[in-house]
Amino acid sequence: MKFFAFHLMPWDRLPADFAQRHASAWTWIPNALYDPAHGGTLYNRYLDELVLADRLGFDGVCVNEHHQNAYGLMPSPNLMGAILARQTRNVKIAVIGNALPLYNPPTRVAEEFAMIDVISGGRLIAGMVVGGGPEYFSFSVNPTFARSMFSEAFDLILRAWTEPGPFEHYGQHWKLRYVNPWPRPLQQPHPPIWIPGAGSKETIDFVAQRRFGYMGIPYFHLDFFQRNFDMFRDACNRAGYTASPEQLGWLLPIYCAETDEQAWNEYEPHLRYFIDNLLQGLVVLPPGYTSARSVAAIGKALDKFMSAAKTRQELERGGYVVVGSPATVRDRLSELIPRLGVGNLLGLFQMGTLPHELTCRSMTIFAEQVIPGLRNL
Amino acid sequence: MPSQSSIIEVAGRKIQLTQGGQGAPLLYLHSAAGETDWTAFHEQLSRRYHVYLPAHPGFAVSGGLESIHDIQDLAWHTIDLIASLGCSRLSIVGFSLGGWLAAEVAILRPALVEKLMLVSSAGIRLPDVRSPDIFLDDREMLRRVLFHDPDGELARNFIPQSAQDERMLLWIRAREASARVAWNPYFHNPKLPGHLRRIQAPTMLLWGRQDQVFPLALGEAFRKGIPDCQLKILENCGHMLPFEKPDDFVRHCQEFFD
C-alpha cells in the first residue's frame, strides 16, 4: 500500500458572506478577492506541508491544475512540481495532472514533465487530464472538442517521449512540422501515467485499455467510488488482463487528532468552509464536455456528492472523509482499502481554512501512527 | 396542412427533415434552441409556401456532428442539403444561430438565395455590445435574457427545467451542437462583416427591440453590411421573436416573401 499527500492549495480568506454573495468560487469569482501578499505566504506554507510529507516518509506528493478559482491555486502545477523536485528527496512527485487541451501545443507537457523528471532523478508521476468543466469557460476552449483534443494530445506526448525525434505530427487539432523535445524523461520508456477520473466510462475504458493508473476524484459517496473501481476492473478484464491495485488510487480527505471528538471539533469548521464556499461551482458541465447521456446521468448522481451530506454522520457514513483518532482512522481505512481494492491512498490533509499547525500535526500522526498499520494491506 | 418528418441523407449525414405546405420553397434554419418541431408559425407559413424545416447536424435526431467543426462546415452542409431537396434557388429564413448560418450560405452561394430573412441573428460581434453567455447552464438566467416577458407561460415552458423532463436529452444535444460552431468565437465569425457585401438576395432583418442576446445594434450592423437590406423592429419583443410574436413574424414573412 502506497501513501501520498495531496494538496489543493486553496484560498483560505474568502469573506464570511461569500456564499451568500457569490454562486461560485470558479471562473467568475472576482480576483480582487485575491491578496497577492497573503498569496505568497500561502504558497510557501503549502509547499512546506508537502516537503514535510517527504520527511515523514510518505511515498509521494500530489499537485493538480485549476484555473481562475479559489478552490485550488495551481494554474501551473508544473511550477510546483519543479520546486518540489528540488526541495524533496525521496517522494514521488505526482502532477495529476496537466489539462492537455489547455496546452498549445501540447508538446509543452512532454517538455515540462521531462524537465521535472530529470531534475528529480526520475521521481515524476505524469498525470494527464481532460480538465474540469469550469476550465473550458476560463480558457474559452471549445468543450465539444475536449475528448478529441485530449486524445490527440495524449498520443502525441507519449510518442514524443518514446519515438526518436524529430517527427511530424498532423492531427485534427495540432499540426507540428517538427516534434523533437529536449529534454527526454529519465524514466524509460516514460514516467508512470496516472489519469484522474470522475467516473465517466470513456475515461475508465481509455485508462484500462492502456494499462495506466486510474485515480478516483473525491467528494463522491463511497458507493460511487466502488462502482467506478469495479467498472475499471471490468474494463481491464475485457482488455485481457487483471487490474493491479497499484493502478487504482483513492483521493480522500483525512484528518487525525488524539481523539475522535477533538479531531472533529478541530476539523469541521475548516471542512465546512471548503464545502460551503470552495466546492460551489466545481461541478460545471459545459456543452459537449461529455456525452449527452453522461451529462444527464451526472445530473441525477449529484445526490451522491459531498455537498449533499449535512452532518458529521453523513460525511463519515458516505466515506466522503475519514476523521478521528489514529485508531479510528486506521480501522476505517483497513476496512475500506481492501473493499475498494486500491493500492494508492491519496490523502488530502489540508482542507479549506485548516491552519498550518493542525495540518502538520494531522499528517505527522497519520505518518507515525496510521501508515505503519496499513502498509501491508 | 399536415407536415411530414423523415430522415434524409445529405452527403453521408442522416438528417431529420420536417416539411409541409405548397408553394414556393422556403427553408427555415433553426436557432441554438433546436426548435425542430413543427409549430403554429411553421403551419401558418406552410399555407403559402413549401416550408422545409431541417434539424442541423447534432440537433434532434440528425447525425453527422463529428464532421462539423465550425460554421463554414455547417454552411456547406446546408448548401448540400438544399441540393438534395432538388432546389436550385429558394428563400431562406434563419433565426438566431440559423440567421448566422443563412448569411454564411448566402455569402458562399449568392445565386442560391431568392430572398433572405435574418431574425434576431447571430454572426457579428461589436466591441461595445455585451451579450450574455447562453452556454452557461443557468436556465433561470436564460429565461430572463431570451424573453421580453420572462415570467409568462411561453418563457416558463420553453426550457426543460429538470433532469426528469423528457425534452432534456434533446436540449443537451442542442447545446452541444450549438457549442460546436459557436463556443469560440462566441456566436460570431470575425470575417463575416467583410463578406456581407457578397449577399445578392433582397434581405429583411427582423429584430426585437428588447433583444438582450444579440441586441439591436447587431441588426444595424447587418443592415450596413448587406447591400439590398431593410431592418424591421418589433416593439416589446425579446430574442425569441418567432415565438414571442408569431403573428407579426408570419405577416412580415408573407409581405417579404410574396
Side-chain angles (χ1 to χ4, degrees):
Chain A
M1 189 67 201
K2 296 267 188 341
F3 298 89
F4 288 72
F6 194 110
H7 218 307
L8 290 172
M9 305 202 177
W11 187 249
D12 66 347
R13 286 194 180 173
L14 292 177
D17 62 350
F18 177 81
Q20 283 86 58
R21 296 182 54 194
H22 302 274
S24 170
W26 293 77
T27 312
W28 307 276
I29 176 173
N31 67 1
L33 292 172
Y34 184 82
D35 166 12
H38 179 60
T41 307
L42 214 48
Y43 276 134
N44 284 291
R45 175 207 141 179
Y46 289 159
L47 283 164
D48 287 345
E49 289 163 10
L50 292 177
V51 171
L52 173 66
D54 185 43
R55 289 211 299 273
L56 290 171
F58 279 81
D59 298 288
V61 292
C62 310
V63 290
N64 71 348
E65 172 174 344
H66 288 298
H67 299 269
Q68 302 194 168
N69 76 103
Y71 162 98
L73 296 171
M74 285 180 283
S76 171
N78 298 352
L79 289 180
M80 292 311 183
I83 293 167
L84 291 163
R86 292 279 300 173
Q87 293 214 305
T88 62
R89 292 185 169 276
N90 299 311
V91 279
K92 297 282 183 194
I93 299 164
V95 181
I96 42 179
N98 281 185
L100 302 188
L102 310 185
Y103 291 78
N104 189 15
T107 40
R108 284 195 71 88
V109 174
E111 293 173 336
E112 291 178 14
F113 272 172
M115 287 176 72
I116 297 172
D117 198 46
V118 294
I119 292 169
S120 67
R123 290 186 285 132
L124 176 76
I125 292 171
M128 306 201 208
V129 293
V130 175
E135 261 77 70
Y136 286 81
F137 286 96
S138 293
F139 269 57
S140 290
V141 170
N142 191 323
T144 75
F145 291 118
R147 307 281 153 181
S148 70
M149 290 176 86
F150 175 77
S151 156
E152 182 181 334
F154 186 93
D155 289 343
L156 171 60
I157 291 162
L158 246 67
R159 204 179 152 206
W161 279 344
T162 53
E163 187 175 312
F167 61 82
E168 291 183 345
H169 171 83
Y170 282 87
Q172 182 191 342
H173 302 288
W174 293 280
K175 283 90 184 152
L176 305 170
R177 185 89 173 83
Y178 308 104
V179 178
N180 190 27
W182 284 67
R184 294 188 297 116
L186 182 61
Q187 299 179 84
Q188 288 295 317
H190 56 73
I193 290 172
W194 284 6
I195 295 183
S200 89
K201 193 175 176 311
E202 294 102 315
T203 304
I204 286 173
D205 287 345
F206 180 89
V207 181
Q209 282 157 14
R210 295 167 187 238
R211 305 192 178 213
F212 298 138
Y214 181 77
M215 304 298 124
I217 68 157
Y219 322 132
F220 282 101
H221 193 280
L222 212 49
D223 295 347
F224 195 76
F225 279 105
Q226 185 77 61
R227 166 193 164 271
N228 294 342
F229 293 150
D230 288 345
M231 271 171 68
F232 182 81
R233 283 182 281 262
D234 288 347
C236 293
N237 288 337
R238 279 199 308 279
Y241 72 102
T242 304
S244 142
E246 282 81 71
Q247 279 179 274
L248 287 169
W250 175 30
L251 179 42
L252 173 73
I254 298 170
Y255 187 74
C256 298
E258 272 171 41
T259 67
D260 292 351
E261 187 61 18
Q262 184 192 345
W264 268 111
N265 287 342
E266 287 172 354
Y267 189 57
E268 196 168 17
H270 307 294
L271 179 66
R272 270 289 38 118
Y273 170 95
F274 172 80
I275 295 173
D276 295 344
N277 299 302
L278 302 180
L279 269 191
Q280 300 308 309
L282 167 64
V283 183
V284 166
L285 298 169
Y289 171 72
T290 184
S291 68
R293 289 195 183 279
S294 296
V295 176
I298 291 168
K300 287 176 185 168
L302 282 180
D303 59 340
K304 294 241 179 280
F305 197 62
M306 194 185 212
S307 312
K310 299 295 175 206
T311 63
R312 287 182 188 183
Q313 288 71 27
E314 284 172 350
L315 286 163
E316 273 184 330
R317 233 181 296 124
Y320 297 102
V321 295
V322 171
V323 177
S325 70
T328 298
V329 171
R330 195 170 53 234
D331 290 350
R332 181 76 167 141
L333 290 175
S334 49
E335 172 208 342
L336 294 179
I337 288 169
R339 202 211 287 182
L340 293 174
V342 296
N344 300 287
L345 181 68
L346 319 185
L348 194 48
F349 292 95
Q350 199 282 334
M351 282 294 266
T353 43
L354 191 71
H356 183 63
E357 292 67 29
L358 295 184
T359 304
C360 294
R361 200 188 65 201
S362 167
M363 289 172 68
T364 305
I365 295 173
F366 187 82
E368 291 174 352
Q369 301 179 54
V370 178
I371 289 181
L374 302 174
R375 264 294 173 208
N376 297 321
L377 278 179
Chain B
M1 197 69 66
S3 65
Q4 285 188 339
S5 275
S6 55
I7 304 295
I8 63 165
E9 184 140 329
V10 177
R13 297 190 180 98
K14 300 247 186 291
I15 293 299
Q16 172 182 316
L17 175 69
T18 304
Q19 55 182 310
Q22 289 185 340
L26 176 63
L27 176 64
Y28 179 95
L29 298 179
H30 67 77
S31 74
E35 70 285 16
T36 53
D37 287 342
W38 193 258
T39 38
F41 64 79
H42 295 112
E43 178 62 26
Q44 281 180 275
L45 289 173
S46 74
R47 290 177 193 145
R48 293 170 102 99
Y49 316 102
H50 186 128
V51 176
Y52 293 101
L53 170 61
H56 312 320
F59 287 87
V61 298
S62 287
L65 185 64
E66 48 302 334
S67 55
I68 301 289
H69 295 160
D70 54 31
I71 194 71
Q72 274 78 30
D73 288 341
L74 192 53
W76 286 117
H77 162 78
T78 306
I79 290 165
D80 291 339
L81 172 99
I82 293 168
S84 63
L85 299 179
C87 294
S88 55
R89 194 170 167 89
L90 82 182
S91 291
I92 304 179
V93 51
F95 169 42
S96 193
L97 172 69
W100 176 17
L101 176 59
E104 297 278 0
V105 168
I107 287 164
L108 290 171
R109 286 287 182 273
L112 203 54
V113 187
E114 178 78 32
K115 286 185 180 175
L116 178 65
M117 180 185 281
L118 309 181
V119 183
S120 320
S121 185
I124 293 179
R125 178 181 178 274
L126 295 173
D128 300 331
V129 176
R130 299 281 300 167
S131 58
D133 187 350
I134 63 171
F135 288 126
L136 294 178
D137 192 12
D138 182 346
R139 297 192 281 274
E140 188 65 24
M141 174 278 289
L142 270 184
R143 194 162 56 80
R144 278 183 277 108
V145 300
L146 288 175
F147 295 92
H148 179 52
D149 175 14
D151 300 315
E153 197 184 342
L154 172 69
R156 291 206 164 276
N157 294 330
F158 194 85
I159 301 164
Q161 289 302 320
S162 74
Q164 280 70 38
D165 193 316
E166 59 187 12
R167 299 172 299 170
M168 189 53 97
L169 201 59
L170 287 182
W171 174 256
I172 294 169
R173 273 174 61 79
R175 285 168 55 75
E176 173 175 358
S178 304
R180 180 52 71 89
V181 299
W183 181 270
N184 184 13
Y186 178 77
F187 277 103
H188 73 286
N189 171 3
K191 294 181 178 174
L192 187 72
H195 287 298
L196 289 176
R197 63 183 175 81
R198 301 178 194 280
I199 295 177
Q200 293 170 4
T203 302
M204 174 180 274
L205 307 166
L206 209 53
W207 237 270
R209 170 87 64 195
Q210 285 80 20
D211 190 337
Q212 297 178 56
V213 177
F214 303 124
L216 183 56
L218 302 180
E220 303 279 4
F222 272 108
R223 191 182 54 76
K224 283 182 198 136
I226 298 173
D228 177 0
C229 188
Q230 52 177 318
L231 171 63
K232 285 260 164 48
I233 299 164
L234 300 191
E235 302 297 333
N236 301 315
C237 180
H239 180 68
M240 300 301 286
L241 186 149
F243 294 89
E244 293 181 67
K245 301 280 180 193
D247 296 339
D248 292 322
F249 171 64
V250 169
R251 182 171 52 79
H252 282 294
C253 283
Q254 288 173 358
E255 285 172 12
F256 179 62
F257 290 122
D258 273 6

